[in-house]
Amino acid sequence: PLPPWISVIIYKEYIMTKLNLGCGSKLLTGYTNVDKFNLYKPDLVHDLEIFPYPFKDNSIDEIILSHVLEHIGQVPDVFNSIIKELYRICKNDSIINISVPHPRHDEFISDPTHVRPITILGLSLYNKKLNKKWEEQKASNTPLALIHNVDFEIISVQYVVDQKYQNLLREKKISEKEIEEYAKKFNNVLKEINIK
């Protein structure tokens, strides 16, 4: 039989390291739950605007940021440092699951602790391939991935439709095409964005 310390090392090598950052009251089994406040007794108390994060380079397989990013990094340098820390701690091909309120929904607008809208284009600025493409096109998009040496790719986006419009769709009083058009013109049509 192997000595106990060898089996522990082998076992630990296959454990997926998953973080639930800014967990608040949503403590998840199988994740290290991290929050700035000790109110709900997370596994680790840490402010995500304090660097470095207490995790090794290339050590994390998955991160959940559920209604967190819109609360942190009001100062651009701090937000960029948050993105750099996420990049530092993630393994190659790690998954970061981000959920944020849609910036044109009252749930985003009404919360005084929301310091920045999170958008698809904004997060795309941290993709090196897109930065290089925009550079070739002489586009004005800020090449944040190249500036900060990070590289994130958005692999899926899901918009959550506000309950009012979900009801209208279910009752066949509105079409999906109409919802798409309304979302471009009006507030409170899309409630949330889920980004992987």
Side-chain angles (χ1 to χ4, degrees):
L2 294 172
W5 63 270
I6 290 179
S7 60
V8 167
I9 290 171
I10 292 169
Y11 175 68
K12 282 187 177 179
E13 232 175 51
Y14 291 97
I15 291 177
M16 286 187 64
T17 307
K18 303 189 289 187
L19 301 178
N20 179 17
L21 297 179
C23 62
S25 63
K26 299 175 211 142
L27 303 174
L28 299 177
T29 303
Y31 289 79
T32 299
N33 297 286
V34 180
D35 201 80
K36 177 180 180 178
F37 304 105
N38 199 25
L39 181 62
Y40 297 103
K41 306 294 180 217
D43 303 306
L44 178 65
V45 174
H46 184 80
D47 184 341
L48 297 177
E49 293 184 327
I50 302 296
F51 313 106
Y53 293 172
F55 305 103
K56 294 180 182 175
D57 295 3
N58 307 306
S59 63
I60 305 301
D61 295 287
E62 181 184 341
I63 295 176
I64 291 177
L65 286 159
S66 180
H67 292 268
V68 175
L69 276 185
E70 71 275 15
H71 292 273
I72 56 179
Q74 181 174 19
V75 175
D77 286 344
V78 174
F79 190 80
N80 287 323
S81 293
I82 290 164
I83 298 297
K84 290 187 325 191
E85 274 300 280
L86 295 174
Y87 190 73
R88 178 186 70 77
I89 66 175
C90 281
K91 294 178 182 175
N92 192 32
D93 293 328
S94 294
I95 297 293
I96 301 177
N97 294 294
I98 299 168
S99 294
V100 292
H102 192 279
R104 289 197 323 266
H105 195 279
D106 285 350
E107 288 193 8
F108 173 76
I109 296 166
S110 63
D111 189 332
T113 67
H114 291 168
V115 298
R116 75 170 47 249
I118 303 299
T119 65
I120 304 308
L121 179 56
L123 292 178
S124 296
L125 297 174
Y126 298 97
N127 179 312
K128 284 187 178 178
K129 184 177 176 182
L130 288 176
N131 282 189
K132 290 173 184 172
K133 178 182 172 186
W134 293 328
E135 197 174 64
E136 289 170 10
Q137 296 171 344
K138 306 218 182 300
S140 62
N141 304 36
T142 308
L144 293 174
L146 298 175
I147 291 168
H148 297 292
N149 195 29
V150 298
D151 195 15
F152 291 99
E153 179 182 351
I154 295 174
I155 57 175
S156 72
V157 177
Q158 177 191 34
Y159 291 96
V160 177
V161 176
D162 186 82
Q163 191 63 52
K164 172 185 172 180
Y165 291 94
Q166 286 185 40
N167 293 342
L168 291 171
L169 186 62
R170 189 176 50 255
E171 295 164 7
K172 301 192 186 307
K173 294 180 178 176
I174 192 171
S175 69
E176 286 186 21
K177 182 75 174 160
E178 286 173 304
I179 288 177
E180 287 177 29
E181 289 303 313
Y182 288 179
K184 294 174 189 172
K185 298 177 186 177
F186 305 117
N187 287 354
N188 296 315
V189 177
L190 300 178
K191 181 177 180 180
E192 183 176 280
I193 312 172
N194 296 313
I195 307 153
K196 190 178 288 268

